[in-house]
Each structure stands twice: as structure tokens, then as C-alpha cells.
Amino acid sequence: MGRVLKYGMVGGGIGGFIGDAHRRSIGLDGKAKLVAGCFSRSYENTLATGAALGVENDRLYKNYEEMARKEAAREDCIDFVVVVTPNNTHYSICKAFLEAGIAVSCDKPLTVSLKEALELEALAKAKNLQFMVTYTYSGHVTAMNIKEMIAAGEIGEVRTVMGEYPQGWLAFEDITGNKQGEWRTDPAQSGKTNALGDIGTHIENTVYRMTGLKIKRVLAKMEKVVLGRRLDDNSVVMVEYENGASGVYWASQIAIGHDNSLRVRIYGSKGSIFWFQEQPEVIHLAKEDGTLLEIHRGHGVIKKQAAKYTRLPSGHPEGWFEAMANLYSNFIDCLNAQKDGKLVESMIEYPTVADGVDGLKFIEACLKSSENGNVWVEL
């Protein structure tokens, strides 16, 4: 294992969910240590979170601007920052750390506008800084293996894709006290979209990373189903890819009976692949001769490029934490390689800022389509 890197976090204070998930995932491999933070807009929360996590008081900051400035001035500056705050703050926080010369990992969606996303992409490039967007599902070994299978031509040319991500947790009008639901359904914090930005971008990115297909145009119907809701809670998108293939994406947070039911079906000229993230140990392959196969993680059939991320033997399930940890493992390895002057493009296997930009292109095209009467809009 290479040198242990130092990281800081913005957001993720006591009472939050996603910050703790990132910390646990980073901790699985021991490749980086949390040493700094601005965990909340409340400095008291930041101090309490820092104490609970063993972060020294002089590296607990009242705001992210102070954190970026003071960390950049230290000899033992953090190697990267993890941004786990509501969508509307991503741009300004990421920009502050990039300008300070610090690499970034940011939760998705990257920003609330394509303009902001493109600015961050340009800034990261100008500063020669790595920038990961945590589309967690692409970190599953099985998802990586599907990418290798499709690239190897195992299902021929992709013809059509069905992607869905139904949840049921926002199916009701009263979400009082639901912290996660309250900010996601608030345009001031979430931006112009809820379901499509929060989980629809997971469909877009998962399909892209598996198939390599770029979207040419979309036709979207973004609905506000629950009474009083100001942002979409149920969205259906027809997709046309650059190679002429078609697709349909469904992102819903009002689908009672579903938790995190991301499911992708990829139909090719020689076979089909089916993948369900709530059962991420298995890939279902339908071959052109009618043979139906189950491909299980942890066995020799998993291709080398994906198998290197396997942590446990078959029958010992790996899940969401491990998927996120795989992204961070590669991100940290790439940061170390860059420090040693040995980084090459092929080493980067995590979703980059370019993936985040694609997510905003998708969101804005869908918004335009839906607002203009469900018409085709080019990305």
C-alpha cells in the first residue's frame, strides 16, 4: 500500500447520513485519514463531530472558505476534500478548494446548473487536479464486469436499454422532520429537480459506464405527483444514443414498495444483460441461443479488470459500502501516482468531473423537454 493520504470533509456532521457513509467507505482500505473538517453550518456541530471523529481542534473550521484557505497554507495540507452538502452549495465549495490547489470528491449531482459544472471541469483541468463525482453504483465489481463484458462484445451491439430507479420514501405529502426529504424537495437547496437529479442521474451514469453510450437526445415527462410538491417526484425519459440505440429511464420517489431499486436491462444483438443493485452479487446474462446464465462475483468468470476490486470470497456478500470504497481506493491510488509523477489516463477508473458534467447536460435537457411539452431535446 502507498502513503496514507490526508483528507478533509465539508458537510457530514452529526445527524447526517451520507457523510458517515463516505467516511466508512474511505476507512475500509486505510488509504486515507480524516484530519480536517467543516462538518456543519453550526460550528457547535462541527466541534462535536470533530471530537467524535478524533479531529484536532485547530483543523475544525467555521466555514469552508476558511478551511480551504488555511489548509492550503499548511505544510501538512489535506490531499483531498470530500463534499457532502446539499446540491446548491457544491459549486462554491468545490471551486474554493480547487482554487486552493486541493483535489475534490463531490457527491452527485455535481452542481445545480450546467454552467457551474463546466466551470468546475475547466478549473480542475487548469489546476491539474483530480476530481471525483461519487456515482457509487459504478463501483460494484459486477457493474465493472458488465462494462468489460460489453466492451468485449459478449452481447454484440447494444440496441436498447431500460433503466429504472424507483423509491417509495417520498410518496406522502407530510415529510415534516424528514431532513433528507426536506432539502431534496426544496428548490432553494436541490435546484430545479428532485427525483431526476437525485436518482435519475444514477441511471444515466450507470448505463453510460456499463455501455459507453453517449446520449444524443431525450424526451422527458417530469411529474410533480404528490400534492404541494414543487419539484419532480416521478420522471420518465425516452433516450436516443449517439449509435442510434434507444432507451427508457424511470426515476421515481413515489413508488411505494421500492427502496433503492436501481435496475438496468441492456439488450444487444447477441444477448442481453440484467443487473439489479439490491442484488449486486449477480449478473444475469441471456445468450442468443436461449441460454440463461448467472454470473456471480467472487469467481474466476469475473474479468481481471473488475476482479481486482473483489474484497471477499464468493458467498460473503459485498454491497454499497464496498462499491463506494472501490471508487475511493482508485481515486486515492491515482492521487498517489500523480504525486510520484506516474499517473496515466488509463489508471483513472472512478467517475470524474466529466461524468458530473454529463449528468448536468442530461438534467438540463430533460428539464427543457418537459417544460416545452415533452419534446425531443439534444444534449
Side-chain angles (χ1 to χ4, degrees):
M1 186 172 73
R3 64 177 71 83
V4 176
L5 299 188
K6 301 175 292 296
Y7 79 96
M9 180 171 281
V10 180
I14 290 172
F17 157 67
I18 197 66
D20 185 59
H22 280 254
R23 292 189 292 265
R24 290 175 184 272
S25 297
I26 294 169
L28 281 182
D29 293 304
K31 292 182 178 182
K33 180 181 178 182
L34 178 67
V35 299
C38 171
F39 299 109
S40 173
R41 286 172 290 188
S42 161
Y43 189 47
E44 289 74 20
N45 188 323
T46 289
L47 291 173
T49 303
L53 297 173
V55 178
E56 297 295 329
N57 265 19
D58 66 337
R59 299 184 84 165
L60 297 173
Y61 301 96
K62 293 182 178 179
N63 56 65
Y64 68 85
E65 295 98 336
E66 177 191 34
M67 180 175 168
R69 183 178 69 253
K70 289 188 175 179
E71 281 296 318
R74 295 179 66 109
E75 286 188 13
D76 60 347
C77 171
I78 56 173
D79 296 291
F80 65 96
V81 67
V82 177
V83 180
V84 285
T85 57
N87 304 346
N88 66 312
T89 63
H90 289 179
Y91 168 74
S92 57
I93 296 170
C94 292
K95 183 180 179 182
F97 282 91
L98 291 173
E99 288 180 336
I102 297 169
V104 172
S105 167
C106 182
D107 217 358
K108 50 96 288 271
L110 176 56
T111 58
V112 296
S113 77
L114 177 58
K115 180 178 181 291
E116 291 178 343
L118 288 168
E119 285 184 24
L120 292 181
E121 181 181 41
L123 183 56
K125 184 176 181 180
K127 293 281 190 176
N128 193 28
L129 291 169
Q130 294 188 64
F131 195 137
M132 178 168 73
V133 180
T134 48
Y135 288 106
T136 303
Y137 303 113
S138 65
H140 282 291
V141 171
T142 46
M144 295 178 185
N145 196 66
I146 290 169
K147 175 182 178 180
E148 297 300 317
M149 292 171 67
I150 292 174
E154 291 191 25
I155 64 168
E157 183 180 7
V158 175
R159 291 172 167 172
T160 192
V161 178
M162 299 290 146
E164 63 180 55
Y165 196 151
Q167 299 175 330
W169 69 298
L170 291 177
F172 310 100
E173 185 178 356
D174 185 7
I175 56 171
T176 305
N178 182 338
K179 183 179 178 181
Q180 299 297 320
E182 286 177 347
W183 80 254
R184 281 177 169 82
T185 57
D186 177 9
Q189 297 184 75
S190 189
K192 295 181 179 180
T193 176
N194 170 31
L196 193 83
D198 190 29
I199 56 179
T201 52
H202 272 307
I203 304 171
E204 178 269 326
N205 188 258
T206 301
V207 171
Y208 166 67
R209 295 192 69 82
M210 286 179 174
T211 66
L213 294 180
K214 286 278 192 177
I215 297 174
K216 179 182 178 181
R217 60 179 188 157
V218 297
L219 188 156
K221 181 175 175 57
M222 299 170 64
E223 300 177 314
K224 303 175 185 71
V225 175
V226 174
L227 186 65
R229 192 140 293 163
R230 291 178 288 170
L231 297 173
D232 61 293
D233 50 21
N234 188 73
S235 295
V236 179
V237 184
M238 293 176 62
V239 175
E240 182 181 319
Y241 302 100
E242 289 180 350
N243 76 334
S246 64
V248 177
Y249 299 168
W250 171 44
S252 179
Q253 291 171 322
I254 60 159
I256 295 171
H258 290 281
D259 295 322
N260 282 281
S261 300
L262 174 61
R263 193 185 301 267
V264 177
R265 303 176 182 90
I266 304 166
Y267 300 92
S269 57
K270 293 168 55 180
S272 304
I273 286 174
F274 315 123
W275 184 79
F276 182 32
Q277 89 84 18
E278 289 186 1
Q279 298 172 0
E281 293 286 270
V282 182
I283 301 165
H284 294 275
L285 172 65
K287 302 181 74 172
E288 58 187 329
D289 64 1
T291 303
L292 301 176
L293 298 175
E294 283 190 0
I295 298 170
H296 289 251
R297 185 205 58 80
H299 291 276
V301 68
I302 298 294
K303 298 182 186 300
K304 192 176 298 184
Q305 195 71 9
K308 67 184 179 184
Y309 289 99
T310 292
R311 298 161 182 277
L312 296 169
S314 58
H316 296 277
E318 294 182 358
W320 191 81
F321 278 128
E322 289 85 354
M324 186 182 284
N326 289 339
L327 299 185
Y328 272 109
S329 178
N330 180 247
F331 180 61
I332 293 165
D333 287 349
C334 289
L335 287 171
N336 270 320
Q338 188 172 27
K339 285 177 179 290
D340 296 333
K342 296 178 180 178
L343 179 67
V344 294
E345 192 73 21
S346 60
M347 292 180 182
I348 299 174
E349 296 177 335
Y350 61 82
T352 68
V353 66
D355 290 78
V357 168
D358 283 346
L360 266 298
K361 288 180 179 178
F362 172 71
I363 289 170
E364 293 205 351
C366 289
L367 282 165
K368 186 176 180 181
S369 171
S370 192
E371 289 166 358
N372 287 279
N374 321 119
V375 297
W376 284 103
V377 173
E378 302 225 354
L379 268 67

